[in-house]
Amino acid sequence: MNLHEYQGKEILSTFGVGIQRGIVASTPEEAVEAARKLHEQTGTNWWVVKAQIHAGGRGKGGGVKLAKSLEEVKEKASQIIGMNLVTPQTPREGKKVHQVLIAEDVYYPGPGPTKEIYMSVLLNRQIGKFMMMYSPQGGMDIEEVAESHPDQIFTEIVEPSTGLLDFQARRIAFNLGMQGQAFKEMVRFVHALYKAFVSIDASLFEINPVLKTSDDRIIAVDAKVVLDDNGLIRHPEYTALRDIREEDPTEVEAREAGLNFVKLDGNVGCMVNGAGLAMATMDIIKLYGGNPANFLDVGGTADAARVEKAFRIILKDPNVKAILINIFGGIVRCDRVAQGIVDAYKNVGDIPVPIIVRLQGTNAEEAKKILDESGLKVHSVIALQEAAEKVRELVG
Ligand code: GDP
Ligand code: MN
């Protein structure tokens, strides 16, 4: 689950991670009120107005603007709220901005220079350990740094059983060129960041930039925080942070129906029971030259209503040229699935694409009978290979 910058920062701050302070707002009036409050809390006289969308690169797209007066806060907030923000990380059509974060300006002058740092925490699945990646070349596109100055990207592998050790935190601060007070602050910052990552079951932190301020504070100016969906059960307080306006509407609908659905780019709709079988089905479609339009696991307890829902969700995708239904009837009975297909056919009306059905297992014969007697144009097959061949034949 992706969080907004303001949500991520709030969580980080509860773990003692220094942040650029801010208040979220949904209207220009709220933005001015937020700026006024922030002035009282922090003394800041300049503010940044930051679009809250689930995508980075907002600065480049005009979604991050400095305001030097309350009038400017209002003006910039009016420009950004409601805008369609296009960045290198949004879909081509952009994303609509519903909220802005009004944040204190932290690039103020002081005794020393400011310095922008890149830092991320992630799980390295290959080695089964956590990893902190960081670079003194922060602020800009990290992929660019990786290309032009690969020696400027550092990694620190963290053993989950010991956690981040003190010498590792110091090595990070050293490699980042921190000195004096900033060095101490950086050591504290990375410890707090790692603790937050593990405690909330995050799957990714990307803080770009971490800022060394001109007076040697270390703070997160940006925060990309991704929570592991499978860990959410341990953190019910975070489920309310989900912003479904940012998510694929079909995936939201599927989740609400209890279906495990991921939209893909191909043209063969898939309805399968069990994640493993769904993966195998997608593999075999690919093997036969096709391309799956989605991953969809109807689960072990799929009844006719659920199958119909799955059907409707698949058909929403205009790219779908055929639907392959592959159900192994163990707990789920094939006749129920067949009934679901027939009901969906009746309720949805004219289904414009061919359907290939492979039902195996409990009540498979009853299922075949239901489909045969329904008078529907479904291609019933026995072997998965046969199903994939049929898909290729029909989709071309
Ligand atoms: P992103 O473009 O989506 O990654 O958004 P960021 O939160 O990283 O902000 C983009 C850029 O805005 C940063 O790299 C900074 O250069 C700039 N910025 C952010 N906060 C401030 C601030 O308080 N003052 C000033 N002057 N610039 C800021
Ligand atoms: Mn950023």
Side-chain angles (χ1 to χ4, degrees):
M1 177 171 97
N2 289 318
L3 299 186
H4 284 296
E5 175 195 358
Y6 79 93
Q7 297 168 325
K9 279 176 165 172
E10 265 167 37
I11 294 176
L12 290 184
S13 142
T14 63
F15 286 91
V17 179
I19 57 159
Q20 174 193 40
R21 288 162 295 181
I23 299 172
V24 74
S26 308
T27 64
E29 292 71 33
E30 277 178 33
V32 172
E33 194 42 45
R36 196 172 281 138
K37 225 186 248 166
L38 214 52
H39 167 72
E40 280 167 21
Q41 290 170 6
T42 69
T44 191
N45 287 314
W46 288 7
W47 301 266
V48 256
V49 183
K50 310 181 79 178
Q52 297 299 287
I53 56 167
H54 286 182
R58 296 163 301 167
K60 282 184 196 155
V64 178
K65 290 198 163 127
L66 187 67
K68 300 184 179 174
S69 68
L70 290 176
E71 291 71 44
E72 276 186 34
V73 168
K74 188 160 189 180
E75 182 192 321
K76 309 259 148 103
S78 310
Q79 288 164 8
I80 295 175
I81 296 170
M83 88 185 276
N84 212 49
L85 183 53
V86 181
T87 84
Q89 294 182 24
T90 61
R92 210 170 309 140
E93 67 275 15
K95 283 196 150 185
K96 180 146 186 184
V97 182
H98 299 282
Q99 290 171 305
V100 287
L101 177 63
I102 306 301
E104 60 175 331
D105 169 41
V106 285
Y107 288 62
Y108 48 79
T114 59
K115 191 170 165 55
E116 291 185 320
I117 291 152
Y118 171 92
M119 192 170 291
S120 61
V121 190
L122 52 138
L123 176 65
N124 183 326
R125 289 171 198 276
Q126 258 107 48
I127 56 173
K129 294 176 206 273
F130 295 122
M131 193 162 92
M132 296 189 88
M133 255 176 82
Y134 59 99
S135 171
Q137 307 289 329
M140 53 174 137
D141 205 346
I142 198 65
E143 282 79 14
E144 248 173 71
V145 180
E147 203 147 287
S148 56
H149 301 283
D151 57 312
Q152 289 297 293
I153 295 189
F154 299 87
T155 54
E156 190 70 45
I157 304 292
V158 186
E159 182 65 46
S161 57
T162 60
L164 181 74
L165 298 172
D166 209 38
F167 83 89
Q168 297 183 292
R170 286 200 300 272
R171 179 157 61 197
I172 293 173
F174 178 80
N175 285 338
L176 288 171
M178 296 294 113
Q179 287 171 348
Q181 185 62 20
F183 186 95
K184 283 189 207 152
E185 293 287 327
M186 181 57 79
V187 170
R188 263 176 19 112
F189 183 92
V190 293
H191 273 306
L193 196 66
Y194 178 80
K195 179 147 193 289
F197 185 86
V198 175
S199 305
I200 67 175
D201 289 316
S203 57
L204 177 69
F205 281 179
E206 192 175 41
I207 318 290
N208 189 21
V210 171
L211 189 74
K212 182 200 88 69
T213 62
S214 57
D215 51 0
D216 284 350
R217 294 191 300 138
I218 304 294
I219 56 177
V221 167
D222 194 1
K224 174 174 179 155
V225 172
V226 183
L227 300 179
D228 183 344
D229 280 328
N230 295 312
L232 274 177
I233 193 164
R234 305 207 291 187
H235 311 282
E237 69 277 20
Y238 296 149
T239 47
L241 301 181
R242 190 184 286 283
D243 185 351
I244 59 170
R245 294 175 297 194
E246 292 283 335
E247 299 185 357
D248 181 79
T250 316
E251 287 186 14
V252 173
E253 192 181 338
R255 187 171 50 241
E256 280 164 4
L259 301 166
N260 196 352
F261 174 88
V262 181
K263 170 139 178 33
L264 301 169
D265 296 331
N267 55 10
V268 182
C270 303
M271 191 194 308
V272 188
N273 67 327
L277 188 58
M279 298 293 275
T281 305
M282 296 190 336
D283 279 351
I284 203 156
I285 290 172
K286 279 236 164 200
L287 190 64
Y288 279 80
N291 247 321
N294 65 276
F295 169 98
L296 195 161
D297 169 15
V298 285
T301 57
D303 52 14
R306 204 138 159 216
V307 169
E308 182 182 333
K309 188 81 192 174
F311 225 102
R312 286 179 180 276
I313 283 170
I314 292 173
L315 282 169
K316 278 194 180 172
D317 181 351
N319 293 333
V320 167
K321 297 281 177 291
I323 297 177
L324 173 56
I325 301 176
N326 186 18
I327 303 285
F328 183 79
I331 300 167
V332 59
R333 288 165 26 201
C334 293
D335 55 325
R336 281 192 180 180
V337 175
Q339 195 56 50
I341 296 168
V342 173
D343 290 352
Y345 233 111
K346 280 192 196 132
N347 297 339
V348 175
D350 192 27
I351 292 178
V353 299
I355 295 167
I356 301 101
V357 184
R358 174 180 182 256
L359 293 170
Q360 276 292 326
T362 311
N363 294 357
E365 276 165 24
E366 287 87 336
K368 189 162 183 347
K369 193 152 172 270
I370 291 171
L371 289 176
D372 288 347
E373 289 173 1
S374 68
L376 304 178
K377 303 164 289 178
V378 294
H379 305 266
S380 195
V381 295
I382 306 289
L384 188 48
Q385 188 179 338
E386 206 184 329
E389 273 166 9
K390 197 81 200 166
V391 167
R392 182 174 56 185
E393 180 191 318
L394 292 167
V395 175

